Amino acid sequence: MIGAHTGLTEKVLAYKPIDPPVEEIQPPKDRAFFADPRKKSLLSAVTDIKHLTPYIGTELVGVQLSQLNEKQKDELALLVAERGVVFFRNQDLTLEGQHEFTKHFGIQDKDPNQVDPRHVTILGRGGDIRSYEHASSAFAEFHSDHSFEINPPSYTLLRIVKTPEPLGSNIPLGGDTIWTSQTALFDKLSPTFQKTFEGLHAVHSSEHIFINTINSGGTTFRLPVRTHPVTEQKALFYNPAFVINIAELKGYESLHTLNFLREHLHSADDLTVRWHWTAGSVALWDNRVAIHRAVPGGYNTEEREGKRTAVFGEKPIYNPKGKTLSEWLRERKRDELPVIKTGLDGF
Ligand SMILES: [Fe+2]
């Protein structure tokens, strides 16, 4: 048997990709550019705005995504860019409606592994996440979706249709998702580390996870810092699931730098929001500035099901004149809420 340990099985070696290699695309202008920074149209349609943490995550209450007009969708895009992820419960969105809704934000992203080209079915994750196989395949690790692609997704929507119950219980519990702000992760680095990371390149690879679809992205060198095209905020663009080393560093330098980044991310409870799913709830996140992780295990994984749709983002850009989150917040006008301005360091 060839390479049983590495995953290079006969089947993988014989695999002929069905799609041609992916080429760079120019997505249409980000819809958030068209939004009123005060988001009056969107916010007048909701009954409540719940900021779930200071740095990331807002829930909009009393509104149906299926009823939003073009203007409100543009304002929602800006809110998502600013807050990382925006949540809704009790949505009447159908799968068809979700496809239509997603189209507003750009060109439909095609996951390299999805069967239906319009969405990905997301299921539960269980098993022993601490086993060697799982740990080495980044099975349950934080990630931003498809960062190894030339155009990783920007606006990404997950609608959960079925929620799980722990084994032996009838209480819906388990399968939560957590998101961490990468703009805040960058902001919290010392100026010395910020500068250092701005001068490096992370090597993103899908090979260890999607070994038979490496033509969908293969290996990409990119800065571990990116600038959001609309807010111009600088964000860490770290991804422990797909970054395999740092191009400019020697072996152990790279290893320990990545270990530092992983610890920086995994200890960032203050920059993180955790969402408990209920059937019909939706999360819309900006995959460029928020990293996420499905909390695995402890429930019947077959009972969790969601549909994910996304649009292609720009090829990640870096603008040295971009702003850190703290700088951006200092420049905000108070009536450009809803961004929490109190409770943050220095405010
Ligand atoms: Fe994901």
Side-chain angles (χ1 to χ4, degrees), residues 58-132:
T58 295
E59 181 183 350
L60 295 184
V61 184
V63 69
Q64 288 294 337
L65 291 170
S66 61
Q67 303 299 314
L68 295 185
N69 62 32
E70 310 285 284
K71 194 168 189 241
Q72 290 167 326
K73 286 179 200 166
D74 290 347
E75 293 177 3
L76 176 58
L78 183 59
L79 182 63
V80 170
E82 292 176 348
R83 293 292 296 155
V85 54
V86 177
F87 303 102
F88 305 84
R89 290 200 188 275
N90 304 317
Q91 294 298 298
D92 61 13
L93 215 53
T94 60
L95 184 56
E96 226 25 71
Q98 183 177 345
H99 291 146
E100 275 310 303
F101 181 82
T102 306
K103 268 192 209 157
H104 177 80
F105 301 92
I107 301 168
Q108 176 75 56
D109 171 81
K110 186 181 183 304
D111 182 294
N113 289 280
Q114 73 195 51
V115 181
D116 184 311
R118 299 174 303 169
H119 68 265
V120 186
T121 296
I122 303 287
L123 300 171
R125 290 178 173 188
D128 182 0
I129 61 162
R130 294 168 182 83
S131 68
Y132 175 80

Side-chain angles (χ1 to χ4, degrees), residues 269-331:
D269 298 325
D270 53 337
L271 317 178
T272 295
V273 64
R274 179 169 180 149
W275 179 249
H276 175 59
W277 295 102
T278 41
S281 55
V282 163
L284 181 61
W285 70 92
D286 191 326
N287 193 55
R288 298 171 288 195
V289 292
I291 189 163
H292 61 280
R293 176 180 190 219
V295 181
Y299 60 91
N300 184 349
T301 53
E302 285 167 22
E303 292 291 312
R304 183 183 191 265
E305 186 181 329
K307 301 289 181 187
R308 193 187 75 202
T309 46
V311 295
F312 284 113
E314 71 285 354
K315 183 177 173 184
I317 50 171
Y318 168 68
N319 175 0
K321 296 207 174 83
K323 300 161 200 155
T324 63
L325 178 62
S326 293
E327 289 165 347
W328 182 83
L329 284 165
R330 259 181 232 119
E331 290 173 15

Side-chain angles (χ1 to χ4, degrees), residues 22-78:
V22 176
E23 303 209 342
E24 183 182 348
I25 59 159
Q26 293 298 334
K29 193 169 178 180
D30 195 307
R31 293 311 307 177
F33 277 118
F34 300 94
D36 161 18
R38 289 160 189 80
K39 309 170 193 69
K40 282 186 184 146
S41 182
L42 174 68
L43 299 180
S44 65
V46 307
T47 56
D48 198 9
I49 306 160
K50 293 182 188 170
H51 293 304
L52 303 180
T53 78
Y55 289 97
I56 185 168
T58 295
E59 181 183 350
L60 295 184
V61 184
V63 69
Q64 288 294 337
L65 291 170
S66 61
Q67 303 299 314
L68 295 185
N69 62 32
E70 310 285 284
K71 194 168 189 241
Q72 290 167 326
K73 286 179 200 166
D74 290 347
E75 293 177 3
L76 176 58
L78 183 59

Side-chain angles (χ1 to χ4, degrees), residues 183-347:
T183 55
L185 281 174
F186 182 75
D187 194 51
K188 298 299 177 192
L189 293 170
S190 66
T192 306
F193 264 46
Q194 288 179 350
K195 220 178 210 87
T196 302
F197 286 118
E198 286 174 307
L200 298 174
H201 290 85
V203 181
H204 293 243
S205 175
S206 60
E207 188 179 341
H208 54 299
I209 297 180
F210 304 118
I211 195 159
N212 58 354
T213 55
I214 54 177
N215 71 318
S216 296
T219 301
T220 317
F221 289 63
R222 50 186 32 145
L223 280 170
V225 184
R226 73 186 290 181
T227 315
H228 193 286
V230 182
T231 65
E232 296 178 345
Q233 290 174 31
K234 287 181 183 174
L236 199 61
F237 191 37
Y238 169 56
N239 193 339
F242 297 122
V243 174
I244 54 172
N245 66 289
I246 304 277
E248 290 84 355
L249 303 183
K250 293 189 175 183
Y252 283 104
E253 295 172 352
S254 173
L255 181 74
H256 289 282
T257 302
L258 292 180
N259 279 344
F260 162 73
L261 283 171
R262 189 168 185 279
E263 186 181 344
H264 185 51
L265 167 63
H266 275 260
S267 58
D269 298 325
D270 53 337
L271 317 178
T272 295
V273 64
R274 179 169 180 149
W275 179 249
H276 175 59
W277 295 102
T278 41
S281 55
V282 163
L284 181 61
W285 70 92
D286 191 326
N287 193 55
R288 298 171 288 195
V289 292
I291 189 163
H292 61 280
R293 176 180 190 219
V295 181
Y299 60 91
N300 184 349
T301 53
E302 285 167 22
E303 292 291 312
R304 183 183 191 265
E305 186 181 329
K307 301 289 181 187
R308 193 187 75 202
T309 46
V311 295
F312 284 113
E314 71 285 354
K315 183 177 173 184
I317 50 171
Y318 168 68
N319 175 0
K321 296 207 174 83
K323 300 161 200 155
T324 63
L325 178 62
S326 293
E327 289 165 347
W328 182 83
L329 284 165
R330 259 181 232 119
E331 290 173 15
R332 292 286 283 178
K333 298 187 190 81
R334 189 156 284 276
D335 64 350
E336 287 182 10
L337 290 175
V339 171
I340 294 180
K341 295 194 65 169
T342 53
L344 295 182
D345 300 345
F347 293 91

